[in-house]
Amino acid sequence: MIWRKSSYSGTEANCVEIAWRKSTYSATETNCVEIAFVPTAVAVRDSKNVDGPTLAVEPGAFAAFLGSLRS
C-alpha cells in the first residue's frame, strides 16, 4: 500500500494521508487505475500520473460500477 500526503499539507507532520491501492490482478504493471477510500468518496487516479487529476466517486456509485463489472 502506498501512502500519499496531501500536497496542501506542506511540511506539516499533522496531516491526512491517503492509501492508494491497485488491483492484485495488475501484478507489477504500471499502467493501472488506483483507488483510495476517503471518508465521503472513492478516489480514482491513473498510476502513471500520481500527481495528475483524481476522480472522486460516491461510494454507492462505485459499488454499483464494480457490481456491473463482476456480472
Side-chain angles (χ1 to χ4, degrees), residues 3-19:
W3 288 91
R4 180 174 182 232
K5 183 171 77 167
S6 168
S7 59
Y8 294 104
S9 298
T11 59
E12 295 295 318
N14 298 326
C15 58
V16 175
E17 294 183 308
I18 299 173

Side-chain angles (χ1 to χ4, degrees), residues 15-50:
C15 58
V16 175
E17 294 183 308
I18 299 173
W20 291 97
R21 299 173 20 174
K22 71 177 180 177
S23 171
T24 56
Y25 293 105
S26 298
T28 58
E29 296 296 317
T30 57
N31 298 328
C32 308
V33 171
E34 296 177 321
I35 63 168
F37 297 98
V38 295
T40 59
V42 177
V44 182
R45 73 176 182 185
D46 182 348
S47 66
K48 294 184 308 296
N49 187 8
V50 297

